[in-house]
Amino acid sequence: MALAGCLLATGLGLVAPLAIAAGGSDTCVATPTEAPPTDCRKPIDTDTRDIPGADEAVARALRLVGGHGYYQLCARLAANIWGRPRAGYFSAAEQWRQMVAAGNARAGDRKPPVGALVFWETGGPYGHVAVYVGDGRVVSNDIGDRVPGEGGVYLVAFGLIESQWSATYLGWAPPIYSTT
């Protein structure tokens, strides 16, 4: 699968979010002076319920369950699930704001497609993001930690984030990441 991008103006400058492209394995990136290659598709259509690459992302997410080292790094965990080394956003809250500003967020929609990033307001400045893996479950960090700072990765019910952390569900967005 190849990746394509289009530039967004953000508080961080110009950011090229990912989009899934048709065929190939090379990265397709639009730049200010060049269009993306012709074999790249437009960014993910969030009006559909099919996120390309979701099967691979869910498989990766389930392999991470039981691991550790993601204490307060939910955005990094979600990015890693989608094969990215980092999120490219300051926080899950910032990522959600960017998705809303770009028209990629589905606020309040409690039926995300498999592979979607799901977001919560936690009462603090950072928020929370997890990856929806289907059957009412998400892969999330920290939610089952027995020791503070453990940073465990867990497969949990979608609603546990709200009930255990008193978080407010915001909605879902497709996995769009900066190419930088």
Side-chain angles (χ1 to χ4, degrees):
M1 151 176 39
L3 305 172
C6 64
L7 295 177
L8 289 177
T10 70
L12 302 172
L14 292 177
V15 176
L18 281 181
I20 306 303
S25 62
D26 297 327
T27 301
C28 304
V29 179
T31 68
T33 58
E34 297 177 13
T38 56
D39 66 339
C40 294
R41 287 193 321 203
K42 67 178 187 167
I44 296 169
D45 181 358
T46 56
D47 289 331
T48 68
R49 293 294 175 166
D50 183 29
I51 297 178
D55 291 342
E56 294 89 353
V58 168
R60 194 175 296 114
L62 296 176
R63 284 193 304 271
L64 287 168
V65 169
H68 297 86
Y70 285 96
Y71 180 64
Q72 296 184 348
L73 295 173
C74 60
R76 178 174 289 173
L77 173 61
N80 290 172
I81 287 170
W82 274 96
R84 306 291 296 176
R86 63 187 177 285
Y89 298 93
F90 174 72
S91 66
E94 174 64 22
Q95 188 173 10
W96 175 251
R97 285 190 294 273
Q98 294 291 334
M99 295 300 107
V100 170
N104 291 316
R106 293 296 174 251
D109 184 345
R110 297 184 79 78
K111 295 183 180 181
V114 170
L117 305 179
V118 287
F119 293 86
W120 289 267
E121 160 58 48
T122 60
Y126 304 110
H128 186 67
V129 61
V131 176
Y132 185 72
V133 296
D135 296 324
R137 300 174 303 162
V138 297
V139 170
S140 181
N141 64 311
D142 300 339
I143 191 75
D145 285 358
R146 302 282 183 239
V147 177
E150 188 175 350
V153 179
Y154 304 93
L155 176 64
V156 298
F158 185 92
L160 188 64
I161 307 296
E162 293 164 282
S163 64
Q164 188 167 317
W165 287 345
S166 299
T168 302
Y169 179 68
L170 297 171
W172 68 269
I176 299 172
Y177 290 103
S178 167
T179 60
T180 59

